[in-house]
Amino acid sequence: MTETHTGVLAERQAGTPRNASNNATRTAAPSAWYAAPALIMFVGFAIVPLVIVAGLSFTDWDGLNAINFSGLTNWIKAFNDPQTYHSLGLTLQVMALSWIIQTPISLLLGVFTAGKQKYRAVYGVFFFIPLLISAAAIAIAFKSLLDPNFGLGQSLGVPWLSQNWLGDPNIVIYTVVFIIAWQFVPFHALLYQGGVRQIPESLYEAATLDGAGRMAQFFNITLPQLRNTIITSSTLMLVGSLTYFDIVFVLTGGGPGTSTRLLPLDMYLTGFSSYNMGLASVLAVILVVLGLVLSLGLTKFSGFSKMSSELEGA
Amino acid sequence: MAIAAPARTTPTTRLASAPRGRKRNRVLPNIPAGITATIWLLIAIVPIYYVVITSLKNQTNFFSGNALLPPASPTLDNYALVLQNNFLAYFANSLIVTLVSVAFAVAFALMAAFAIVRGSLTSRRLRLSFSVFLLGLAIPLQAVIIPIYLMITRAGLYDSLIALILPSVAFSLPLSIIILVNFLRDIPNELYEAMRVDGASNWKMLTTMVLPLARPALTTVAIYDGLNVWNGFIFPLVLTQSPDKRVLPLALWSFQGEFTSNIPAVLAAVVLSTLPILALYIFGRRQLLAGLTAGFGK
Amino acid sequence: MKLTAKKRATLGVALLTAAALALTACGTSGPGGGSTGNASAWALTGQQKTIQASFDTWNAANTGKKVDVQFFGNDAYKQKIRTAIGSGSSPTLIWTWGGGVLKSYVDANKLVPLDSSLTAKVFPAIAANGEVDGKLYAVPNNTVQPALIYFNKDVMAKAGLTGAPTTWDELLSDVKTLRAQGIAPFSLGGASKWPELMWLEYLTDRIGGPTPFKAIQDGEAGAWSNPSVIQALTMIQQLVDAGGFVDGFQSVATDSSADFALMYTGKAAMILQGAWGYAAIQTAAPDFISANTLGWGDFPTVTGGTGDASNVVGNASNYWSISADASKDQQTTAAGYLTGGNMTDTYIAGLLSSGGVPPITGLDAQIAKSANASFLTDVYQMSENAANFTLSWDQAIDPSAADALLTNLDLVFLKQSTPQQFADAMTAASK
């Protein structure tokens, strides 16, 4: 599942709750202590670590010895290391490819499964199974399925299929993108399914009376009506692609060479494999900044503040 | 607007009621969607089929036979092997971590959401805390794994199930609170007033009125959090060590090394680890799917 | 109002905490969980039967001094052990490879020194790998594991070949012959990266002897750009170009023994791997060995090279070290096990029957009588007679550069880096 959510929601839901603003004034409100357990947990294990990771990026911690201040050494090293740019580039590449591949497929599947026909429901039962499976399990399954010597290609006798999916540096990134799509398309299809079901039937009825064909209806009604779903889904996809870790870790470990060493994986390997926790912390900070910039940027770009004011009036 | 939806009806009730009263003009076959759907159906099913049939093969069959043909003589030996290799212990660990994390997360989130909905007009502190949770949605879990590792080891909690539970709860909270806040907003103020006239305290309102009313939203939240914790990989990878603290996703990864070339056994472990959720899926598909997308609007 | 709410919140947290603690209580006391209770040991799965039996025997005879042993796959263990040691929750008995990793543990005061009499009967070159600054910190617990070439006799015969190549030129011509027959010459677990290292280690040693690597280990300036290293890397790329490795070697994982499987299922003719391969094949494909289809030989010599042909590379052995974070009682128990439980006669017999030889002197007669006498005698003599035994580089160098070494070498195998780029990257990583 997505491990991070985004500023989309933040923008949308911020502000005072609607009902409360109208009429809660007269009832004595519960004390803020009710929020304390959640706040303590969250600040303790999410906000404080953010501060610590920023601090660690200025130290030489190696996981074994004492932690010493080391100034800007790690930052200079990170920005001089071609690996940092390579990982960053790969992450952006996966982000773009994932969006390009997953969006149309999810959209079509969402439209399809929103239909009421029995067979579509049956399709739906199978579509959503990948959602339930852990990334580790998915990676293990694909690793053996795509084995060039004992897997899929050999058994089908289709030479094209027995390519070195996970071993060829030129192919592997697309394989990873495909497997990530296999894992996440169901989730986004589900979002679109919900979106399609929200479109008022009357719009289609009116269009049919006007003699609009299926295609025209799709482009003139369905797509515009799904605008918000498209934005939500896209934001989740884009920001979510900063968090692909477990599937790549189990599938390729970043290899062959460094062909799939995405930023989160680079961070993990730098920290827990090369024991350079300080340098890894720099990469973690980059990851956080990237996530924040991306989600804030996307919300600004898609004009959510305007929408949330519409919301207030709704 | 679409985003307002979760606030008004819960996704669960909406989904359940959706089939009624909506006639869609889906009489004409939708060809592009149908083709995509059929292709994707194959893509979705082949790996699952492959995992299941391979888990029924023995090792020799696997290396010599055709990968996509079912075994001539299926065997459950691999499942026996996996079960003998502490699988049930890993399963129990996963169950404990998931149940405890979800219990904490749901309870804390409900209390916080209650306070935020009822009190944020009068309390600046509550408004601030809501913003903190909202901000939390944008923190990638991977980015804080190093400091969490440091904190957990320094606290002497390394390699314990508590080490997994604490951060899992923390990272479940933001979305849980947002879903619940949206839901609780729709409880009419009159209901609170009525209870208040009867002299009920806020705690009583929370436990006797809000809790039962919020049950659909709580289920949704529990499902979402539960699935994330159950399938979580990086916290167990970094925060635990010994086999007796191993949870399922990590166990799968370790099985790869321990079973050496016995890939059918590894895949049998994959099947077994997914079975509980698959069972949930079979019995509560609608609820489960609704839980997954709640909070992201419709 | 405020007080009750606060009380209730506190009560709620307390109750849930109590529930969680109760549920997870079993999680805080198990083996590997720190410095209380029984001593613990983490071992690799390779010799699980023998090691398990040895601990069982020890535990049965010493009820008050039990050692709980747990087994890991190689890659998973390497990921985990450092984390465990760093967090002070390592097992009492730590499985190591000697070399640079051992030194980093000693430098961080994570290990206790051991009694030097423990290695009295060990091959001196092997015992030396367990010493840091003249003190003993690690005792061999496993077979000596030089890397050698295994081959599938049936497949070789099909191409008209009788044995492993003895010179590099012969190796290249064998590659041509095998490719012409449509057979992959060498299997290679490229996805695990470290099997690729054996090629670099052997070639560097054959070309320039042990000195180039000694310089690397000592951190000398320019050591990575040594002509022997560059030439070795160039030869590796020539072999890759010649189709020397099985198609798709980049995605073959050693952790699942798929590299050996390729050889014994006949998809590849040969494989350069550690001596543990014999035991691995015996477990996975016993028929292959009983039918006498498995052959083996030394790594070929390189024309013009100065390295002694008897030199070997590989894992000198595995070792037990004792954690400084363990309690005194646990340390005493572990030390007792090292004297009375490790490398006993039964233990040695177990290692021999599994297809490996321990680095212990005076076993010739016993080996000659064992079930796998021909393989074991060869490996035993190979190790005992080696003029130099080079420890696997990733274990021998500073651990902070080990990951970079594997990654950069992988890039050479993939033809994404030139030998010089490899040298430059490693020079940068070793700073």
Side-chain angles (χ1 to χ4, degrees):
Chain A
M1 219 33 1
T2 46
E3 279 169 336
T4 181
H5 318 295
T6 66
V8 180
L9 284 152
E11 281 287 319
R12 293 169 160 196
Q13 328 257 0
T16 31
R18 286 173 294 129
N19 272 359
S21 63
N22 300 330
N23 41 23
T25 22
R26 296 227 328 264
T27 310
S31 126
W33 280 105
Y34 279 90
L39 209 58
I40 291 169
M41 284 301 286
F42 187 69
V43 169
F45 287 94
I47 306 292
V48 169
L50 270 188
V51 177
I52 298 181
V53 80
L56 282 175
S57 72
F58 300 101
T59 70
D60 67 352
W61 188 35
D62 66 353
L64 209 55
N65 290 291
I67 305 176
N68 299 307
F69 180 74
S70 68
L72 285 173
T73 321
N74 294 319
W75 284 88
I76 294 167
K77 199 166 179 187
F79 283 104
N80 282 330
D81 187 351
Q83 183 58 51
T84 311
Y85 298 98
H86 177 67
S87 294
L88 200 60
L90 277 179
T91 302
L92 296 177
Q93 192 187 351
V94 168
M95 189 185 285
L97 284 173
S98 294
W99 185 80
I100 292 170
I101 291 173
Q102 291 182 34
T103 301
I105 298 178
S106 313
L107 181 58
L108 285 171
L109 289 184
V111 170
F112 182 81
T113 52
K116 290 291 159 294
Q117 292 90 327
K118 252 266 140 54
Y119 73 99
R120 295 194 179 188
V122 175
Y123 270 43
V125 171
F126 290 101
F127 282 153
F128 300 126
I129 292 180
L131 276 179
L132 315 173
I133 308 175
S134 68
I138 291 175
I140 289 169
F142 272 100
K143 208 164 149 181
S144 103
L145 183 65
L146 295 177
D147 186 301
N149 294 297
F150 301 109
L152 183 71
Q154 285 295 313
S155 42
L156 285 180
V158 183
W160 186 82
L161 274 176
S162 48
Q163 300 209 35
N164 196 0
W165 296 113
L166 293 171
D168 186 331
N170 300 315
I171 300 180
V172 66
I173 196 76
Y174 302 101
T175 313
V176 166
V177 167
F178 171 80
I179 295 170
I180 287 170
W182 192 86
Q183 187 186 11
F184 287 104
V185 156
F187 175 79
H188 295 279
L190 211 50
L191 283 181
Y192 283 112
Q193 183 198 57
V196 171
R197 287 188 173 158
Q198 291 261 294
I199 303 173
E201 187 60 27
S202 53
L203 292 179
Y204 291 101
E205 282 159 8
T208 312
L209 286 180
D210 292 346
R214 270 214 79 92
M215 274 298 189
Q217 289 188 16
F218 178 78
F219 284 105
N220 296 327
I221 302 173
T222 314
L223 266 191
Q225 287 287 320
L226 286 178
R227 180 168 172 270
N228 294 317
T229 314
I230 293 172
I231 292 168
T232 305
S233 156
S234 302
T235 312
L236 289 173
M237 269 178 206
L238 295 176
V239 182
S241 50
L242 291 178
T243 68
Y244 298 147
F245 168 79
D246 18 16
I247 205 153
V248 186
F249 177 76
V250 179
L251 196 63
T252 66
T258 53
S259 311
T260 54
R261 196 167 162 135
L262 303 182
L263 200 55
L265 188 63
D266 189 35
M267 183 209 79
Y268 174 85
L269 293 175
T270 306
F272 293 94
S273 225
S274 296
Y275 318 113
N276 198 336
M277 296 289 185
L279 185 56
S281 298
V282 174
L283 301 172
V285 173
I286 295 177
L287 214 54
V288 172
V289 171
L290 214 59
L292 283 174
V293 167
L294 203 63
S295 47
L296 292 179
L298 280 166
T299 32
K300 276 266 147 53
F301 171 74
S302 55
F304 262 118
S305 21
K306 200 180 88 209
M307 282 182 15
S308 54
S309 54
E310 279 171 25
L311 249 183
E312 291 300 323
Chain B
M1 273 288 114
I3 4 161
R8 335 201 94 204
T9 36
T10 70
T12 11
T13 52
R14 189 170 56 246
L15 250 194
S17 65
R20 257 180 293 124
R22 276 169 198 258
K23 271 198 320 196
R24 221 161 252 319
N25 75 337
R26 291 281 181 274
V27 194
L28 290 169
N30 184 346
I31 292 168
I35 292 172
T36 312
T38 308
I39 293 174
W40 197 260
L41 186 68
L42 278 176
I43 290 176
I45 283 181
V46 167
I48 296 169
Y49 163 80
Y50 167 79
V51 168
V52 173
I53 59 157
T54 307
S55 71
L56 299 171
K57 291 178 181 175
N58 66 35
Q59 216 171 326
T60 340
N61 281 343
F62 173 74
F63 278 120
S64 56
N66 186 313
L68 285 183
L69 291 182
S73 48
T75 166
L76 288 176
D77 291 357
N78 298 314
Y79 288 89
L81 179 68
V82 171
L83 290 173
Q84 283 158 16
N85 274 273
N86 285 331
F87 185 85
L88 291 177
Y90 307 146
F91 183 87
N93 285 341
S94 272
L95 204 63
I96 290 172
V97 171
T98 307
L99 290 181
V100 176
S101 302
V102 169
F104 267 104
V106 170
F108 289 176
L110 181 66
M111 286 167 69
F114 177 62
I116 288 166
V117 168
R118 301 290 299 156
S120 58
L121 196 74
T122 47
S123 165
R124 174 186 274 274
R125 249 182 296 173
L126 279 173
R127 280 198 298 274
L128 184 72
S129 30
F130 192 49
S131 318
V132 169
F133 289 119
L134 289 169
L135 188 75
L137 288 177
I139 301 176
L141 192 151
Q142 286 87 350
V144 293
I145 194 67
I146 291 173
I148 286 180
Y149 165 70
L150 175 66
M151 289 162 65
I152 292 287
T153 51
R154 291 292 147 97
L157 290 174
Y158 181 76
D159 201 22
S160 68
L161 297 184
I162 297 174
L164 300 182
I165 291 168
L166 293 173
S168 299
V169 172
F171 277 86
S172 300
L173 284 170
L175 197 71
S176 305
I177 288 176
I178 285 160
I179 295 175
L180 289 173
V181 161
N182 275 330
F183 189 89
L184 296 192
R185 274 177 193 167
D186 287 341
I187 297 178
N189 197 44
E190 290 71 29
L191 290 181
Y192 292 105
E193 281 303 328
M195 285 198 78
R196 194 174 155 66
V197 170
D198 294 342
S201 65
N202 273 310
W203 183 255
K204 187 133 199 238
M205 291 181 195
L206 177 63
T207 50
T208 60
M209 182 185 76
V210 175
L211 186 66
L213 278 178
R215 190 159 292 151
L218 291 174
T219 314
T220 294
V221 166
I223 286 171
Y224 187 87
D225 295 345
L227 203 58
N228 276 339
V229 177
W230 182 269
N231 285 338
F233 184 77
I234 196 167
F235 286 144
L237 176 70
V238 173
L239 301 178
T240 65
Q241 189 72 68
S242 38
D244 57 335
K245 315 294 172 341
R246 204 174 277 163
V247 293
L248 283 177
L250 202 57
L252 292 180
W253 183 60
S254 312
F255 274 146
Q256 280 195 111
E258 287 166 34
F259 290 165
T260 59
S261 54
N262 199 344
I263 289 170
V266 175
L267 295 182
V270 166
V271 174
L272 282 176
S273 77
T274 313
L275 276 185
I277 306 214
L278 206 62
L280 265 182
Y281 184 68
I282 291 166
F283 293 112
R285 190 163 61 84
R286 288 225 167 108
Q287 191 90 326
L288 192 65
L289 294 182
L292 286 174
T293 49
F296 299 109
K298 293 274 168 98
Chain C
M1 193 82 246
K2 194 164 191 165
L3 242 175
T4 33
K6 178 181 174 182
K7 261 187 200 159
R8 272 174 178 142
T10 320
L11 188 70
V13 178
L15 278 176
L16 277 165
T17 311
L21 284 172
L23 273 168
T24 49
C26 51
T28 47
S29 63
S35 54
T36 49
N38 288 346
S40 55
W42 288 356
L44 292 202
T45 43
Q47 295 289 350
Q48 184 159 358
K49 246 201 303 194
T50 303
I51 292 170
Q52 183 73 60
S54 126
F55 279 105
D56 288 347
T57 312
W58 170 264
N59 288 344
N62 302 275
T63 35
K65 299 174 148 196
K66 284 193 176 177
V67 183
D68 299 320
V69 62
Q70 290 158 352
F71 292 88
F72 293 83
N74 182 73
D75 291 3
Y77 178 81
K78 283 182 182 169
Q79 294 267 0
K80 297 226 137 215
I81 185 64
R82 167 100 177 193
T83 320
I85 292 174
S87 67
S89 65
S90 65
T92 318
L93 281 168
I94 301 169
W95 182 284
T96 75
W97 284 260
V101 179
L102 186 71
K103 186 172 185 305
S104 74
Y105 295 161
V106 172
D107 290 346
N109 298 316
K110 292 293 183 183
L111 302 181
V112 294
L114 304 172
D115 183 0
S116 62
S117 68
L118 281 168
T119 52
K121 280 165 65 188
V122 175
F123 295 169
I126 307 285
N129 271 319
E131 291 168 11
V132 176
D133 302 332
K135 273 195 207 157
L136 184 71
Y137 284 93
V139 178
N141 62 7
N142 202 346
T143 54
V144 58
Q145 294 152 336
L148 63 158
I149 290 178
Y150 298 88
F151 57 89
N152 184 325
K153 287 182 185 169
D154 288 353
V155 173
M156 295 289 272
K158 236 183 275 172
L161 301 170
T162 49
T166 55
T167 66
W168 185 256
D169 298 330
E170 196 185 327
L171 183 145
L172 289 178
S173 84
D174 288 359
V175 163
K176 251 190 219 142
T177 315
L178 287 161
R179 274 288 165 194
Q181 299 281 321
I183 300 162
F186 282 95
S187 175
L188 177 64
S192 304
K193 297 193 176 108
W194 53 263
E196 294 172 342
L197 198 51
M198 296 174 186
W199 287 91
L200 176 62
E201 289 159 357
Y202 257 128
L203 282 170
T204 306
D205 193 279
R206 290 289 187 262
I207 295 163
T211 17
F213 180 63
K214 190 84 185 60
I216 289 172
Q217 211 176 354
D218 295 344
E220 284 175 27
W224 286 105
S225 311
N226 184 297
S228 307
V229 177
I230 301 289
Q231 194 192 334
L233 293 163
T234 312
M235 289 162 74
I236 286 172
Q237 292 198 323
Q238 282 163 356
L239 186 58
V240 172
D241 286 340
F245 299 106
V246 64
D247 295 336
F249 71 84
Q250 305 91 335
S251 51
V252 175
T254 298
D255 233 23
S256 58
S257 293
D259 53 347
F260 287 113
L262 284 170
M263 191 269 297
Y264 65 71
T265 55
K267 299 201 181 195
M270 297 177 270
I271 180 170
L272 173 65
Q273 256 289 18
W276 58 84
Y278 190 88
I281 296 168
Q282 199 164 48
T283 313
D287 298 349
F288 184 73
I289 288 182
S290 60
N292 195 24
T293 331
L294 178 68
W296 58 88
D298 296 350
F299 193 84
T301 55
V302 173
T303 320
T306 58
D308 191 316
S310 76
N311 285 355
V312 289
V313 307
N315 290 346
S317 173
N318 298 118
Y319 297 81
W320 284 127
S321 295
I322 297 181
S323 164
D325 287 324
S327 70
K328 273 275 163 299
D329 282 353
Q330 290 171 329
Q331 290 177 356
T332 315
T333 301
Y337 169 79
L338 289 185
T339 318
N342 188 37
M343 292 292 180
T344 58
D345 291 347
T346 330
Y347 194 107
I348 290 173
L351 293 180
L352 291 174
S353 72
S354 75
V357 288
I360 306 286
T361 51
L363 298 179
D364 305 75
Q366 205 178 336
I367 290 170
K369 281 185 293 184
S370 71
N372 305 304
S374 61
F375 179 79
L376 296 186
T377 306
D378 282 3
V379 171
Y380 191 67
Q381 288 173 354
M382 186 179 174
S383 311
E384 197 171 21
N385 302 337
N388 191 280
F389 198 120
T390 301
L391 190 61
S392 294
W393 290 10
D394 56 339
Q395 296 299 333
I397 63 172
D398 189 87
S400 68
D403 184 56
L405 169 61
L406 295 175
T407 306
N408 282 300
L409 180 61
D410 198 32
L411 291 173
V412 170
F413 272 80
L414 295 166
K415 305 281 305 277
Q416 290 188 327
S417 279
T418 64
Q420 192 54 50
Q421 282 168 332
F422 168 91
D424 296 344
M426 285 316 298
T427 307
S430 306
K431 266 177 203 158

